[in-house]
Amino acid sequence: MENITLNVQGMSCGHCVKAVEGSVGKLAGVDTVKVHLESGTVAIAFDPSKTSLDEIKETIDEQGYDVVA
């Protein structure tokens, strides 16, 4: 299991939390997803043999939020 924390811009409410946690949580190999609105971060635990960091970033982007490097 790999743990990452991504900086994500544009999240500001409960809907944002549900959109990101729901979409990323559906990816194969994702164990946990936790959005922290106050810090603008998303903490994710995932199995890199089942999903990639790029796929996670793309999923967040598809929800309308920007992952900052």
Side-chain angles (χ1 to χ4, degrees), residues 1-64:
M1 210 46 72
E2 187 172 326
N3 294 299
I4 58 165
T5 300
L6 300 174
N7 292 312
V8 181
Q9 292 182 336
M11 301 182 301
S12 61
C13 64
H15 172 76
C16 302
V17 172
K18 288 182 181 178
V20 172
E21 289 183 350
S23 61
V24 174
K26 290 179 184 174
L27 294 173
V30 173
D31 185 44
T32 60
V33 183
K34 180 65 180 156
V35 171
H36 302 279
L37 284 179
E38 58 284 341
S39 61
T41 60
V42 181
I44 305 161
F46 70 102
D47 182 344
S49 69
K50 295 183 179 175
T51 194
S52 67
L53 179 55
D54 286 340
E55 189 173 1
I56 291 169
K57 288 179 179 180
E58 185 177 309
T59 299
I60 293 171
D61 186 58
E62 287 171 356
Q63 294 302 311

